[in-house]
């Protein structure tokens, strides 16, 4: 399970196993982050009293399961996934397989984490160069995510990163990515506003190879998954990338806003029909939304969450950890 | 936008519709379905609970049981309650008698504030003839100022910006002074996206409000927002007591339950809906119509309004005359096609037609490129051929096919379909309603 940066990225030199035993300092850092995530995620809920109380499983009756259902639905997990989880837990409790409040609480987290943990949740950066394509609906945080990812790739892995500004549609999107490139110290390639995004992507990869970049990240314009012509354009950008490098893009990341409701499932489904999506970046988890839609996406479509965004600064991008996420989802 | 929900409610209620009487069991079953549908539509859990409780109570009341057609009654109740929940009649922005009228935009990151600012500026210019200025107070997100400069300029508004080095409160104050000096009717203040729990930035928003004393504060809410919409709306309402909501990204397939939630928990009306990428894809939100749409009754009123904006009345009369006299030519058809397409993507127009929402719409996908081809074919004809499609034979077909980059079969098909359409129009002209099902099959 990806927990630290060294676990998330497959790098040719040793890979995840090299970092099997994290330094104590790192562990400390992680716990600190986990606390923060939990605090962030539970803060605003007092008024709504849907929080799962530590005492929820002390007495088991109809209300227990209703409260649990409510809590998961309020976290945007969705009716179907919620029904599945609650049903399983109720069965196990009734049959006496799991007994006692703490055990049930742990089992709940286990069930949720089990759903979240799907597919291969690594990002393979062993290709020379590795091409990553960022896609998503407008305003979900693609450009910001790319800036942060570039910074981490350089900081954690010492990779040389180039950003390609293939969002040629939205006003000032190119400038926004350029500023992120400057902040993160990445190289930058763009075309004129309104030019063909495929051409920019093609050019970015050519230049990246020329200049010896290790990782090339292609930003694309935000688009609603219902706009067929724009989704076709995305497929085309991918095809153009493949002309330059047949096995690229090696990683296609879909950004999903944590405040998104059940429509997130449609987003993930339709985007992965246009371009195979390898992983989800769950952004804006620093708000009050718990991002339960990621669970539905993982459960129903088998697309793993790989990264989470928890703030606006460069370091506010983290590898996704299914256990932490599951705990925060039902944190007392 | 609410099509999927409409479909589900129709499914549930068609069962009730078909029967003479309504038992408590029926009501419970229907309520379960409605509850699930609303949750799937991201309506907040608490709001759903209140809503279904209310509907159930009314359904079980004497006004339903024993009535002649209880099923219809349930539809009526759901519609009424939904309309009430969505906010009754539509509201607008009140303009200050002493210009400039100041509008403050607020919302989460990525909700679409800057785009909405540009679109609103354009709408107010077009509909009210106001001279509008926009102020760039998002100094945090990289290139946000550039974005507003571009969008604002495209919208024909004056953009007041001072880069990103100044305090947004100062920029707002300065922009208001500028607007007064320039004699602007409206000043729209764009602000940076902020989390509702970020105390520092929420304080900044309050400070901007104090500095410009806006006549209206608009909260921009992404139509795809889930359960969290109530938290966001509540916190923003508490901090700045906004006056209305702009729903953004309503052109997607989100069921937009957030709209219901926000209205219910804050009592603030939804004023505008952003329905596309282009600057003119922005319209006034009609809560009463939206409820009917949820129930699959179609958004006929919106359609009529849209059509009114695009179609010239004299032209319409002329067309009607031609239709009745069977003088409708390919030239008229081309004109119609162009006008229709100016109203927006065909699928969104068809979605507003009663009876076309839901299941049928799923199978009906209008290929806009197909329309491009049709246009190209007609444009490759001589005016004479457009008036007299019967002329189009052998070599003419070939010429038209070549000219339009299509093939002879495509030309044939168009001419044939046009013939069928003319026949259909004749029927309508005589007052007969065409068979909608047959129309759908032809469209496919």
């Amino acid at each position: 399970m990806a927990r630290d940066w060294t676990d998330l990225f497959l790098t040719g030199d040793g890979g995840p196993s090299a970092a099997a035993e994290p330094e104590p300092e790192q562990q400390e850092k992680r716990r600190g982050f986990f606390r923060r995530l939990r605090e962030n995620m539970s803060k605003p809920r007092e008024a709504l009293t849907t929080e799962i109380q530590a005492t929820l499983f002390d007495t088991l009756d109809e209300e227990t399961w209703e409260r649990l259902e409510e809590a998961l639905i309020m976290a945007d997990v969705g009716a179907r996934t919620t029904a599945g989880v609650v049903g399983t837990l109720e069965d196990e409790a009734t049959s006496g397989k799991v007994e006692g409040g703490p055990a049930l609480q742990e089992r709940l987290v286990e069930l949720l984490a089990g759903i979240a943990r799907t597919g291969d949740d690594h990002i393979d950066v062993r290709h020379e160069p590795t091409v990553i394509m960022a896609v998503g609906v407008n305003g979900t945080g693609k450009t910001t995510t790319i800036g942060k990812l570039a910074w981490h790739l350089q900081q954690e892995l010492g990779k040389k990163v180039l950003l390609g500004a293939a969002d040629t549609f939205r006003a000032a999107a190119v400038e926004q990515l350029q500023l992120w490139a400057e902040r993160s110290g990445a190289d930058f390639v763009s075309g004129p506003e309104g030019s063909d995004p495929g051409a920019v992507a093609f050019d970015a990869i050519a230049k990246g190879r020329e200049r010896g970049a290790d990782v090339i990240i292609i930003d694309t314009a935000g688009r609603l998954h219902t706009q067929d012509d724009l989704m076709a354009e995305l497929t085309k950008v991918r095809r153009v990338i493949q002309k330059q490098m047949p096995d690229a893009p090696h990683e296609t990341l879909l950004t999903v806003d944590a405040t998104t409701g059940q429509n997130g499932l449609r987003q993930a489904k339709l985007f992965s029909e246009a371009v195979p999506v390898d992983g989800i970046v769950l952004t804006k988890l620093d708000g009050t939304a718990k991002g339960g839609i990621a669970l539905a996406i993982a459960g129903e479509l088998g697309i793993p969450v790989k990264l989470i965004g928890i703030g606006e600064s460069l370091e506010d991008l983290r590898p996704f950890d299914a256990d932490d996420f599951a705990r925060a989802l039902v944190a007392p | 936008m609410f099509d999927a929900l409409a479909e589900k409610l129709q499914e549930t209620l068609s069962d009730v519709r078909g029967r003479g009487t309504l038992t408590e069991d029926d009501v419970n079953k229907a309520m379960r379905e409605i509850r699930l549908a609303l949750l799937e539509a991201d309506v907040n859990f608490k709001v759903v609970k209140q809503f279904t409780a209310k509907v159930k109570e009314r359904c079980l009341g004497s006004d339903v049981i024993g009535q002649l057609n209880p099923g219809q009654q349930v539809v009526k109740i759901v519609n009424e309650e939904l309309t009430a929940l969505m906010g009754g009649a539509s509201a607008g922005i009140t303009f200050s008698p002493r210009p400039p009228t100041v509008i403050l935009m607020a919302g989460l990151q990525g909700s679409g504030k800057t785009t909405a600012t540009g679109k609103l500026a354009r709408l107010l210019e077009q509909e009210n003839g106001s001279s509008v200025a926009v102020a760039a107070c998002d100094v945090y997100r990289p290139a946000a100022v550039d974005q507003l400069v571009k969008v604002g300029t495209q919208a024909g508004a004056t953009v007041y910006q001072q880069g990103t080095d100044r305090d947004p409160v100062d920029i707002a104050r300065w922009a208001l002074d500028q607007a007064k000096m320039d004699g602007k009717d409206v000043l729209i203040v764009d602000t940076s996206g902020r989390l509702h729990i970020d105390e520092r930035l929420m304080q900044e928003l309050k400070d901007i409000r104090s500095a410009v004393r806006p006549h209206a504060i608009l909260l921009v809410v992404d139509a795809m927002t889930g359960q969290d919409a109530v938290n966001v709306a509540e916190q923003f309402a508490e901090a700045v007591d906004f006056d209305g909501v702009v729903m953004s990204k309503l052109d997607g397939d989100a069921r937009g339950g957030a709209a219901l939630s926000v209205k219910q928990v804050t009592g603030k009306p939804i004023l505008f809906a952003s329905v596309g990428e282009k600057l003119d894809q922005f319209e006034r939100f009609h809560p009463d119509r939206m409820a009917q749409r949820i129930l699959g009754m179609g958004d006929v009123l919106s359609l009529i309004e849209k059509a009114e904006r695009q179609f010239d009345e004299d032209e319409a009369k002329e067309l009607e005359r031609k239709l009745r006299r069977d003088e409708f030519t390919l030239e008229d058809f081309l004109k119609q096609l162009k006008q229709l397409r100016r109203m927006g993507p065909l699928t969104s127009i068809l979605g507003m037609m009663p009876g076309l929402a839901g299941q049928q719409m799923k199978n009906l996908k209008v290929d806009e490129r197909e329309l491009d081809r049709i246009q190209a074919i007609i444009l490759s004809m001589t005016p004479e051929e457009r008036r007299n499609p019967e002329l189009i034979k052998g070599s003419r077909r070939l010429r038209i096919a070549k000219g339009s980059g299509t093939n002879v079969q495509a030309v044939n098909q168009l001419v044939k379909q046009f013939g069928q359409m003319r026949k259909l129009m004749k029927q309508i002209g005589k007052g007969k309603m065409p068979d909608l099902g047959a129309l759908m099959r032809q469209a496919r």
Side-chain angles (χ1 to χ4, degrees):
Chain A
M1 204 53 229
R3 314 195 86 191
D4 285 300
W5 288 102
T6 36
D7 288 333
L8 174 71
F9 292 116
L10 294 177
T11 56
D13 37 73
S17 55
E21 210 48 60
E23 298 293 312
E25 193 197 332
Q26 267 182 304
Q27 263 179 346
E28 189 45 50
K29 221 167 102 189
R30 212 170 65 208
R31 262 198 294 277
F33 158 66
F34 171 52
R35 241 196 327 272
R36 190 177 156 196
L37 184 62
R38 238 165 100 144
E39 275 163 17
N40 277 338
M41 285 176 150
S42 57
K43 212 182 292 170
R45 295 272 157 182
E46 311 106 14
L48 294 163
T49 67
T50 51
E51 207 55 62
I52 296 180
Q53 302 299 325
T55 53
L56 175 66
F57 295 114
D58 286 359
T59 45
L60 297 181
D61 51 23
E62 196 56 30
E63 203 192 334
T64 310
W65 309 116
E66 267 174 32
R67 291 287 296 278
L68 180 58
E69 235 171 51
E70 201 173 315
L72 290 175
I73 282 178
M74 290 291 263
D76 288 320
V77 169
R80 192 187 310 191
T81 309
T82 297
V85 171
V86 176
T88 308
L89 196 67
E90 191 178 352
D91 284 349
E92 293 184 3
T94 323
S95 67
K97 204 172 147 201
V98 186
E99 274 177 78
L104 277 166
Q105 184 83 28
E106 259 323 291
R107 179 65 184 140
L108 173 62
V109 169
E110 200 180 295
L111 283 170
L112 294 170
I115 297 170
R117 208 176 281 125
T118 180
D120 179 6
D121 63 349
H122 294 99
I123 296 177
D124 191 345
V125 289
R126 288 174 298 187
H127 310 271
E128 280 300 326
T130 300
V131 178
I132 299 175
M133 186 167 156
V135 301
V137 167
N138 323 50
T140 47
K142 275 175 303 302
T143 309
T144 308
T145 297
I146 290 170
K148 294 175 187 171
L149 184 60
W151 188 80
H152 279 285
L153 280 164
Q154 276 164 159
Q155 289 290 311
E156 307 284 330
L157 305 175
K159 297 280 183 194
K160 194 168 180 267
V161 182
L162 180 139
L163 305 185
D167 178 356
T168 53
F169 180 79
R170 183 170 63 82
V174 173
E175 287 88 336
Q176 189 184 349
L177 189 70
Q178 188 164 16
L179 284 166
W180 277 109
E182 282 163 20
R183 278 189 197 175
S184 61
D187 200 354
F188 180 75
V189 169
S190 69
E193 195 178 305
S195 61
D196 179 54
V200 178
F202 188 87
D203 192 34
I205 293 169
K207 290 225 166 76
R209 289 172 124 179
E210 232 172 79
R211 301 177 192 169
D214 300 312
V215 181
I216 299 162
I217 311 179
I218 306 291
D219 187 17
T220 62
R223 65 202 74 216
L224 282 177
H225 48 289
T226 47
Q227 290 160 334
D228 294 339
D229 47 341
L230 291 181
M231 294 310 280
E233 179 196 271
L234 207 56
T235 312
K236 188 190 146 200
V237 172
R238 188 185 147 87
R239 221 169 33 235
V240 171
I241 289 175
Q242 281 169 334
K243 270 188 196 148
Q244 178 69 258
M245 230 183 135
D247 59 337
H250 308 97
E251 184 78 28
T252 301
L253 294 173
L254 172 71
T255 50
V256 175
D257 186 329
T259 53
T260 308
Q262 298 313 299
N263 192 247
L265 255 179
R266 297 278 304 155
Q267 291 177 20
K269 189 166 181 286
L270 292 181
F271 266 98
S272 50
E273 277 169 23
V275 287
V277 172
D278 302 298
I280 303 288
V281 184
L282 191 58
T283 61
K284 307 185 198 174
L285 263 178
D286 48 333
T288 49
K290 294 192 168 192
I293 188 61
L295 205 66
I297 294 173
E300 292 192 26
L301 302 173
I303 306 171
V305 182
K306 295 192 175 177
L307 293 158
I308 57 171
I310 49 161
E312 300 209 350
S313 50
L314 277 171
E315 60 270 29
D316 289 335
L317 183 76
R318 299 275 169 169
F320 175 76
D321 184 307
D323 295 310
D324 283 357
F325 177 73
R327 265 190 212 103
L329 213 51
V330 293
Chain B
M1 34 190 116
F2 282 102
D3 289 349
L5 177 57
E7 198 182 303
K8 275 208 174 148
L9 285 182
Q10 270 176 336
E11 236 170 72
T12 314
L13 294 171
S14 69
D15 193 38
V16 180
R17 254 182 191 159
R19 260 181 274 161
T21 51
L22 200 66
T23 64
E24 179 161 1
D25 220 36
D26 287 335
V27 176
N28 282 339
K29 211 172 107 206
M31 290 312 124
R32 253 201 308 277
E33 284 299 320
I34 291 173
R35 178 174 170 270
L36 197 66
L38 291 174
L39 284 177
E40 285 286 311
D42 293 316
V43 179
N44 183 268
F45 195 85
K46 308 253 150 166
V47 177
V48 172
K49 260 186 166 172
Q50 288 170 10
F51 180 76
T52 46
K54 207 163 186 182
V55 172
K56 188 182 168 186
E57 196 186 302
R58 281 193 58 189
C59 286
L60 287 175
S62 55
D63 56 339
V64 173
I65 289 171
Q67 289 284 323
L68 210 65
N69 193 341
Q72 285 171 348
Q73 199 73 8
V74 175
V75 179
K76 189 169 160 261
I77 292 169
V78 174
N79 179 31
E80 280 170 10
E81 290 299 323
L82 218 45
T83 308
L85 195 72
M86 294 293 290
S90 61
I93 285 181
T94 322
F95 286 87
S96 164
R98 290 179 52 206
T101 298
V102 181
I103 302 169
L104 181 63
M105 310 292 281
L108 296 181
Q109 290 93 339
S111 53
K113 277 174 305 305
T114 306
T115 310
T117 302
K119 288 178 171 179
L120 181 60
R122 190 188 173 278
L123 186 87
L124 295 178
E125 276 158 20
Q126 300 265 317
E127 284 195 357
N128 304 357
S130 312
S131 76
V132 182
V134 296
C137 296
D138 181 358
V139 298
Y140 304 110
R141 182 166 63 84
V145 173
D146 299 338
Q147 189 187 348
L148 186 67
V149 170
K150 285 183 186 169
V151 173
T153 311
Q154 272 173 34
T158 309
V159 184
Y160 299 135
Q161 61 101 7
Q162 295 191 309
T164 55
D165 295 329
R166 286 193 71 188
D167 186 71
V169 181
D170 294 336
I171 299 176
R173 199 177 287 125
W174 165 81
L176 178 57
D177 288 341
Q178 295 295 310
K180 280 180 186 160
M181 276 196 307
D182 296 348
K184 294 288 172 191
D185 299 321
V186 180
L187 173 70
I188 310 175
V189 181
D190 184 27
T191 62
S192 59
R194 63 200 74 223
L195 276 174
H196 47 294
I197 50 168
D198 187 327
E199 281 172 27
R200 189 179 65 81
L201 284 179
M202 288 309 272
Q203 183 57 47
E204 182 200 273
L205 190 63
K206 289 183 201 171
D207 294 344
I208 295 178
R209 181 185 57 169
S210 313
V212 298
R213 304 168 66 93
H215 302 91
I217 302 176
L218 299 181
L219 180 72
V220 183
V221 178
D222 187 326
M224 291 177 277
T225 313
Q227 297 285 322
D228 200 41
V230 292
N231 290 325
V232 176
E234 269 175 352
Q235 304 264 343
F236 269 94
E238 205 185 297
V240 293
D241 188 30
F242 61 86
D243 302 281
V245 174
V246 178
M247 290 303 287
S248 64
K249 307 179 202 173
L250 261 173
D251 47 331
D253 57 356
R255 299 183 205 166
L260 277 86
S261 306
V262 170
K263 179 67 189 53
Q264 178 71 359
V265 299
T266 63
K268 307 293 185 191
I270 296 163
L271 297 179
F272 300 101
S274 188
V275 292
E277 302 248 351
K278 294 193 189 110
L279 268 178
D280 61 348
Q281 289 171 328
F282 192 76
E283 51 195 39
R284 290 181 193 284
F285 187 83
H286 297 286
D288 41 346
R289 296 177 198 171
M290 187 61 74
Q292 296 182 355
R293 190 176 164 135
I294 291 171
L295 290 173
M297 295 182 208
D299 193 1
V300 186
L301 288 168
S302 280
L303 185 64
I304 291 170
E305 202 168 77
K306 250 189 179 168
E308 270 173 359
R309 232 186 298 158
Q310 300 293 346
F311 288 87
D312 188 281
E313 207 178 313
D314 292 336
E315 263 181 46
K317 272 196 191 132
E318 172 69 14
L319 178 70
E320 202 194 317
R321 192 184 59 80
K322 279 186 175 169
L323 281 179
R324 242 184 283 134
R325 294 205 193 156
D326 196 18
E327 286 169 8
F328 191 68
T329 65
L330 273 167
E331 212 152 43
D332 299 315
F333 178 62
L334 183 66
K335 215 188 265 171
Q336 291 299 307
L337 192 64
K338 280 183 177 164
Q339 277 174 334
L340 194 63
R341 298 187 78 187
R342 245 188 280 149
M343 286 164 61
L346 265 186
T347 26
S348 81
I349 295 168
L350 288 173
M352 293 179 192
M353 305 273 279
L356 289 185
Q359 197 55 47
Q360 291 158 304
M361 276 302 290
K362 263 193 204 147
N363 307 328
L364 182 76
K365 211 158 213 181
V366 179
D367 188 352
E368 298 281 335
R369 274 169 312 183
E370 182 62 32
L371 297 178
D372 286 337
R373 274 192 285 276
I374 292 175
Q375 240 168 295
I377 293 174
I378 301 178
L379 285 170
S380 300
M381 296 175 185
T382 64
E384 184 60 28
E385 286 164 348
R386 287 181 211 167
R387 282 190 290 272
N388 270 317
E390 295 78 22
L391 284 176
I392 302 168
K393 300 253 150 57
S395 67
R396 285 181 193 254
R397 272 183 209 158
L398 197 64
R399 193 201 77 242
I400 295 167
K402 271 188 181 159
S404 58
T406 57
N407 50 38
V408 176
Q409 284 89 338
V411 178
N412 278 342
Q413 204 187 353
L414 176 71
V415 173
K416 198 174 142 213
Q417 277 177 348
F418 180 72
Q420 284 169 349
M421 199 176 77
R422 247 172 130 168
K423 234 185 264 165
L424 196 77
M425 296 245 174
K426 227 165 142 185
Q427 285 178 3
I428 302 177
K430 284 178 188 157
K432 263 193 268 171
M433 260 314 276
D435 174 14
L436 213 59
L439 247 178
M440 299 286 301
R441 279 191 292 279
Q442 273 180 9
R444 240 174 269 159

